[in-house]
Amino acid sequence: MAISSKVIRLLLSRSGGYCGNPACHSDLFPFFEDKTITNVEELAHIIGQSKGGPRGNNSLPLEDRDEYENIILLCPTCHTKIDKNPELYPLKIVKK
């Protein structure tokens, strides 16, 4: 499955353009000195997209894992940190 454009638009609009990690809150659309803008947002699964993914050993059906309630918008650093350390970022922490 894939995350739908509707879910992506909803996440982008509700994020305000900032990382979904409250401890970070980095700008996901930074400007460069020459006034150009880029985007660095990453769509992250709260419960892994597969059973073997971070926090993936969960009863949430695989077909529901690309839905809005299971996706968070993060900066690349937070996405990597959270997914590589699921023991430090269990479901109850990430889902806040």
Side-chain angles (χ1 to χ4, degrees), residues 7-67:
V7 168
I8 294 169
R9 285 193 330 267
L10 189 57
L11 285 162
L12 288 170
S13 67
R14 294 203 172 154
S15 75
Y18 295 95
C19 179
N21 178 355
C24 174
H25 208 61
S26 292
D27 186 355
L28 298 176
F29 299 90
F31 284 97
F32 292 107
E33 286 185 28
D34 68 358
K35 307 287 187 225
T36 58
I37 189 171
T38 190
N39 60 310
V40 295
E41 84 280 355
E42 293 189 4
L43 302 166
H45 288 85
I46 296 169
I47 296 170
Q49 190 175 30
S50 68
K51 294 283 184 187
R55 296 163 302 280
N57 188 12
N58 188 281
S59 63
L60 184 67
L62 293 176
E63 60 270 11
D64 293 339
R65 294 187 181 201
D66 287 333
E67 297 300 326

